[in-house]
Amino acid sequence: AARPANAAPSSSAAAAPLLAATVRLTVEDPGGRAYGTGTVVDARDGAALVVTCAHLFRDADGRPIDTEGKLSLELFDVATGAPQPRPKVVGHLVSYDFDADVALVSFWIDLDIATAPVASVAQSPRVGDAVRSVGCDLGAVPTVRDSRVVDLDRYQGPPNIETTGAPVQGRSGGGVFDAAGRL
């Protein structure tokens, strides 16, 4: 896939922690298979919590889909430099808010996994700030793209951040990280 305008791939050293905390989500429903991206924000005692976008969990008519047994996640090993998929695990939709377009997914795994720190409200981005976005373009392994904040709260609804680069299917739910690596 072509790289969106004004979005350059990030260096591998800076990208590794972001990729290590990223998951590829696969959702099966009667309409087919959809891919998305999420970020692990908490992990302890084999349980992990992922933040992603809620629209991954609704059908074409806007109704919630039953994800039981139809949601899987893949983590990525980044030790070799290029993200290598780990075995798939079953995900469980914990909660979602379609109006805010945010969802939480949990999973259990017997591996050490990375988590991403979450920025506080006081660390909110400003127009012009450099950011990195992470996502699984069309269901591929995740990539990191360097970008900039171009607008804040441009769209009606919950608070939102607009960055350079065009949206790509499969990157939905992927993290946008500040220069310190905070989600």
Side-chain angles (χ1 to χ4, degrees), residues 2-183:
R3 186 169 59 241
N6 302 319
S10 186
S11 73
S12 61
L18 310 180
L19 293 166
T22 296
V23 299
R24 174 172 48 201
L25 293 103
T26 305
V27 182
E28 306 276 346
D29 72 11
R33 177 181 295 152
Y35 294 102
T37 308
T39 305
V40 180
V41 293
D42 191 26
R44 55 184 97 180
D45 300 325
L49 190 63
V50 171
V51 66
T52 188
C53 58
H55 70 257
L56 294 172
F57 307 106
R58 68 176 171 214
D59 66 16
D61 296 324
R63 293 183 304 255
I65 59 172
D66 176 13
T67 60
E68 192 61 37
K70 302 171 187 160
L71 172 59
S72 63
L73 297 95
E74 287 174 281
L75 294 155
F76 296 88
D77 182 352
V78 296
T80 62
Q84 299 298 315
R86 291 179 168 183
K88 285 185 178 184
V89 296
V90 174
H92 302 278
L93 183 59
V94 174
S95 184
Y96 59 87
D97 181 334
F98 287 145
D99 292 332
D101 199 18
V102 68
L104 295 173
V105 173
S106 66
F107 67 95
W108 290 263
I109 192 163
D110 192 22
L111 295 171
D112 288 335
I113 56 173
T115 61
V118 178
S120 71
V121 172
Q123 299 161 326
S124 293
R126 295 182 305 254
V127 172
D129 283 358
V131 293
R132 293 184 179 110
S133 71
V134 182
C136 299
D137 297 5
L138 303 172
V141 297
T143 56
V144 177
R145 299 202 184 278
D146 290 331
S147 188
R148 292 216 171 267
V149 175
V150 294
D151 209 346
L152 298 170
D153 301 326
R154 177 180 179 181
Y155 302 100
Q156 292 182 357
N160 53 81
I161 302 168
E162 183 178 4
T163 63
T164 55
V168 177
Q169 188 176 31
R171 287 184 85 82
S172 288
V176 175
F177 297 88
D178 65 15
R182 296 177 296 233
L183 181 66

